[in-house]
Amino acid sequence: MSRLRLGMVGGGEGAFIGAVHRMAAGLDGDWDLVAGAFSTDGGRNTRTGALLGLDPQRVYPSIDALIAHEMTLPADQRIEALAVVTPNHLHAPMAIAALNAGFHVFCEKPMAMSVVEAEAIAAAAKASGRHFALAFTYSGYPMIEEARARIKRGDLGAIRLVQVEYLQGWLSQPIDTDGNKQAEWRTDPARAGLGGCLGDIGTHAFQLAEHVSGLSVQSVSADLTTHVEGRRLDDDVSALLRFEGGARGVLKASQVAAGEENGLRLRIHGERGGLDWSQMEPNTLTLRWLDRPTEIVRTGGPGMLDATATLVRTPAGHPEGYIEAFANLYRAFASAIRGDGNDRWFPGVTDGLRTMRFIEAVIANAASDQKWTSVNPGENE
């Protein structure tokens, strides 16, 4: 199969996530990066394009210039999909412009700045008939799929408890006022949106909890805190969750947990047992049973389900991690565009809308005296 042609907006020299997208997209040979508008800084934009070996004529000063020129190229040369790896405030206008031009979109999370913007993206995707993917990277890990599939087939019985936490410590000091560009925009309401830690990593935790459990959160009771003086957005989130069917959950996300790196952990318990997964040890899934010894399943090892094994690239004992998980999403995105019948799942519009509604429900609840706030529009408890 020929490689699909990818363009990128954002992700220029000095940016973190753009390079991660490029590595993930290139891992399985499905994508060629052929064009980009990497930075509004002309020099940085030009240097990034040169470093990536792109034709200078396809290194554009803006997304408008990119779309306009790409549309003049023959169909077998222009980009087929656009990766949007900018700060949050640009997600909706850029994604909608690309979808309206007929390009598929792979967007960074959160989906947008608000539910209204997210719904506009969803409408554009539906009208265009193009695919829209979101970078909820952790859902691409093989052991996350293993956990999801085991719960879906009923191994744990009816789900009762869902606990998810994502702890980081990198914002424990006011580095957002000391010139750290990654911290600066993430704590700026004009670029990050209504939530700081909530939007940046709380959405990862929420999406993972719903995706793996197979249950939707119905309502939240939440607390938002800003520990670092002068910071304009939250850096610490706590939320109680009520799921459909009666399950209860706890979500904790913090970027001021000093000493923590990327401590994302998910625990789910049902009638007959529970499972435990940690992003810091992603190749291990621990299953604990009510009536038999603890079971440990390892990536690439015996006992994995057939569907999970398709996400593994190396023999057991050769660690696979963050880039490989991200690459699983890009591979699934490519399969959907090609229509090759593999029907691989990837996070998209549904996940984006759910996480945006979660953000707005948490913010509304934390700001009110209401005990519970519905995640679903028009409902209150």
Side-chain angles (χ1 to χ4, degrees):
M1 292 183 291
S2 61
R3 295 181 180 226
L4 297 168
R5 296 176 298 280
L6 181 68
M8 179 173 286
V9 284
E13 180 184 70
F16 159 66
I17 203 64
V20 173
H21 274 261
R22 292 189 287 268
M23 286 186 281
L27 190 60
D28 294 310
D30 287 315
W31 297 93
D32 275 332
L33 182 69
V34 297
F38 303 103
S39 175
T40 55
D41 180 296
R44 185 177 291 117
N45 189 43
T46 299
R47 289 191 298 272
T48 302
L51 182 65
L52 297 172
L54 299 185
D55 178 349
Q57 298 301 311
R58 298 181 78 177
V59 179
Y60 303 100
S62 68
I63 185 174
D64 292 337
L66 183 152
I67 291 174
H69 187 260
E70 289 294 313
M71 291 298 291
T72 69
L73 299 176
D76 62 352
Q77 295 180 27
R78 72 174 70 119
I79 64 169
E80 294 165 270
L82 186 69
V84 178
V85 298
T86 63
N88 304 344
H89 69 296
L90 297 173
H91 290 180
M94 289 185 169
I96 291 170
L99 290 165
N100 288 345
F103 302 126
H104 306 281
V105 172
F106 198 121
C107 187
E108 258 304 314
K109 40 54 58 190
M111 188 175 184
M113 296 280 277
S114 67
V115 170
V116 170
E117 282 193 352
E119 288 174 338
I121 294 174
K126 183 177 181 179
S128 68
R130 296 299 186 257
H131 294 286
F132 178 83
L134 273 169
F136 283 112
T137 312
Y138 307 105
S139 55
Y141 276 108
M143 287 296 101
I144 284 296
E145 173 58 24
E146 184 80 14
R148 188 204 63 78
R150 285 172 177 261
I151 288 174
K152 185 178 180 180
R153 75 177 185 181
D155 288 14
L156 305 185
I159 300 304
R160 292 172 170 169
L161 308 174
V162 180
Q163 295 173 270
V164 62
E165 65 178 26
Y166 197 161
L167 302 181
Q168 297 176 339
W170 73 293
L171 289 179
S172 291
Q173 299 297 320
I175 61 172
D176 41 330
T177 61
D178 294 336
N180 185 304
K181 292 186 179 299
Q182 296 301 314
E184 182 186 9
W185 77 258
R186 283 177 168 83
T187 58
D188 176 7
R191 289 177 286 173
L194 300 174
C197 173
L198 174 63
D200 196 28
I201 62 174
T203 51
H204 275 301
F206 175 80
Q207 187 270 341
L208 208 62
E210 286 203 333
H211 175 61
V212 177
S213 71
L215 302 174
S216 295
V217 173
Q218 299 299 292
S219 55
V220 299
S221 181
D223 180 58
L224 288 179
T225 307
T226 304
H227 288 280
V228 175
E229 187 176 356
R231 184 166 287 159
R232 291 175 290 172
L233 290 174
D234 62 274
D235 50 29
D236 187 72
V237 184
S238 302
L240 298 177
L241 312 174
R242 284 182 172 175
F243 289 82
E244 61 179 323
R248 294 296 189 261
V250 178
L251 182 149
K252 178 65 184 178
S254 183
Q255 292 177 313
V256 293
E260 295 288 345
E261 295 175 347
N262 275 282
L264 175 59
R265 184 182 182 187
L266 177 67
R267 287 173 285 177
I268 300 178
H269 293 84
E271 297 170 297
R272 294 192 290 272
L275 57 81
D276 189 346
W277 177 85
S278 172
Q279 202 270 152
M280 299 287 283
E281 185 60 51
N283 297 307
T284 299
L285 178 66
T286 302
L287 300 161
R288 297 184 176 90
W289 304 104
L290 191 63
D291 57 356
R292 62 183 189 270
T294 295
E295 179 183 354
I296 294 176
V297 182
R298 292 278 294 164
T299 299
M304 285 183 65
L305 302 177
D306 291 342
T308 310
T310 64
L311 301 176
V312 180
R313 295 173 179 79
T314 59
H318 295 79
E320 294 190 20
Y322 181 73
I323 301 299
E324 289 85 354
F326 213 145
N328 282 334
L329 303 188
Y330 263 102
R331 184 167 60 178
F333 187 48
S335 291
I337 292 170
R338 289 183 175 127
D340 59 16
N342 284 319
D343 294 324
R344 294 187 175 103
W345 175 88
F346 58 86
V349 167
T350 299
D351 301 84
L353 287 169
R354 289 292 302 163
T355 51
M356 292 310 305
R357 288 176 180 141
F358 169 71
I359 289 173
E360 293 197 359
V362 166
I363 291 170
N365 183 267
S368 75
D369 294 327
Q370 188 173 321
K371 186 173 181 180
W372 292 95
T373 298
S374 175
V375 176
N376 304 304
E379 296 180 9
N380 287 291
E381 293 187 42

